[in-house]
Amino acid sequence: MNLITAIEWAEGYNRRGLYSPIGVTFHWVMAALVIFQLGYGWYLGWQPVGGDKYVGYQTHTQIGLTIMMLGTLRFLWRSQIAGPQNVDEDSLAGRASRVLQAWFYFSFFALPISGWVMWSTLPSDLPLSIAGVIPFPNLPFHQLSEGLQQRLMQWAAKAHFWIVWITVLAIPGHAGAAVLHYLVKRDRVLPSMFDLNGPQQPGVLGSAPDKGPVDEPPPA
Ligand code: HEM
Ligand code: HEM
């Protein structure tokens, strides 16, 4: 399947008010990684200083950089195929959901970048990588003065902290709104992120094959 065919296939889902399986997979894999990262980051924060904590943070960096890579691919995908139109874009709810979604995209980059700055000022020689597989460089901060490194560390830690907290508040707002849509408005917003059924429209890629006209019953 080339890119054009993939986009046409995904548009078939969008026309039925659904995200395509690619959009749904990005959504739930990244949601799980972000929620894990938040819990694990705090857990590590409470651990006593030592080797285990550093190795734990190395795993934290590997998952964080994976989120940044997936966020880049997802952003590129979404720039080609925006998703279904299930809410009135100009309503207050539509605007609020767009702001939260934009915040999530911002956090997919701002958290890893502020983390990367912190990690690069720490006196650790544990290497960085994406998912423990693709090597990723440290920023060349060790050439800077100690004072400047300390200021960078403080600035990045503050940014990481605030972005973490805004994201922690944004998640229940976003998920709660989706559940409210389901319970109160009873529209397609929540099913759009779960339903993996094909478009089921004749002629649309991804639909079940058209069975043709139904046979007329034989005359009595
Ligand atoms: C979406 C991705 C990420 C999330 C959700 C996340 C979340 C967190 C959380 C919840 C903490 C604990 C904060 C606290 O104790 O106040 C933390 C700390 C930290 N994170 Fe991340 N993080 C992410 C990505 C990264 C990346 C990519 C790196 C490094 C390359 C990184 C490096 C660090 C470091 C060094 C700390 C310790 C900061 C400190 O003790 O002040 N993080 N992160
Ligand atoms: C860390 C957790 C989460 C993040 C980062 C996140 C992020 C996003 C983003 C960026 C979108 C926009 C669509 C896209 O670009 O693919 C979206 C849509 C959506 N999310 Fe989440 N999400 C999270 C958790 C949840 C949860 C727990 C639920 C349900 C209970 C949920 C339900 C939905 C729904 C229904 C949509 C479609 C909304 C629409 O099209 O108006 N999300 N999410």
Side-chain angles (χ1 to χ4, degrees), residues 19 23-24 26-28 30-35 38 74 78 82-87 97 100-102 104-105 107-108 167 171 174-176 178-179 181 188-194:
Y19 281 87
V24 173
F26 268 132
H27 181 271
W28 292 113
M30 290 191 70
L33 288 177
V34 168
I35 290 169
L38 291 168
R74 182 176 181 179
R78 207 195 141 127
Q85 296 280 315
N86 287 323
V87 276
S97 92
L100 286 183
Q101 292 179 9
F104 288 136
Y105 274 96
S107 74
F108 298 152
T167 307
I171 293 170
H174 168 76
V179 172
H181 268 277
R188 298 206 55 83
V189 167
L190 189 57
S192 73
M193 260 313 167
F194 284 99

Side-chain angles (χ1 to χ4, degrees), residues 47-64:
Q47 294 305 300
V49 179
D52 284 354
K53 186 165 175 157
Y54 260 129
V55 174
Y57 270 125
Q58 190 187 28
T59 308
H60 179 80
T61 63
Q62 290 168 345
I63 299 173

Side-chain angles (χ1 to χ4, degrees), residues 33-208:
L33 288 177
V34 168
I35 290 169
F36 173 81
Q37 247 336 53
L38 291 168
Y40 194 50
W42 273 318
Y43 164 79
L44 289 171
W46 294 323
Q47 294 305 300
V49 179
D52 284 354
K53 186 165 175 157
Y54 260 129
V55 174
Y57 270 125
Q58 190 187 28
T59 308
H60 179 80
T61 63
Q62 290 168 345
I63 299 173
L65 293 171
T66 307
I67 292 175
M68 185 157 78
M69 183 194 70
L70 289 175
T72 309
L73 294 174
R74 182 176 181 179
F75 182 75
L76 292 174
W77 174 248
R78 207 195 141 127
S79 69
Q80 297 304 314
I81 170 122
Q85 296 280 315
N86 287 323
V87 276
D88 174 10
E89 297 257 316
D90 294 327
S91 65
L92 187 63
R95 280 173 210 215
S97 92
R98 271 214 310 278
V99 169
L100 286 183
Q101 292 179 9
W103 175 266
F104 288 136
Y105 274 96
F106 170 75
S107 74
F108 298 152
F109 297 94
L111 280 172
I113 289 171
S114 53
W116 189 25
V117 171
M118 277 193 275
W119 187 260
S120 304
T121 62
L122 292 172
S124 154
D125 44 17
L126 291 177
L128 283 175
S129 68
I130 300 173
V133 179
I134 306 169
F136 199 84
N138 267 293
L139 289 161
F141 288 161
H142 290 297
Q143 298 157 11
L144 303 175
S145 70
E146 289 250 326
L148 192 51
Q149 283 193 52
Q150 223 163 41
R151 259 182 291 148
L152 276 168
M153 172 67 177
Q154 281 164 0
W155 168 83
K158 217 179 258 179
H160 211 70
F161 175 86
W162 282 109
I163 304 164
V164 158
W165 270 104
I166 297 173
T167 307
V168 164
L169 295 176
I171 293 170
H174 168 76
V179 172
L180 271 185
H181 268 277
Y182 186 67
L183 295 178
V184 179
K185 295 199 172 175
R186 296 179 178 274
D187 58 18
R188 298 206 55 83
V189 167
L190 189 57
S192 73
M193 260 313 167
F194 284 99
D195 191 346
L196 291 178
N197 288 325
Q200 308 303 328
Q201 277 177 19
V204 173
L205 264 130
S207 301

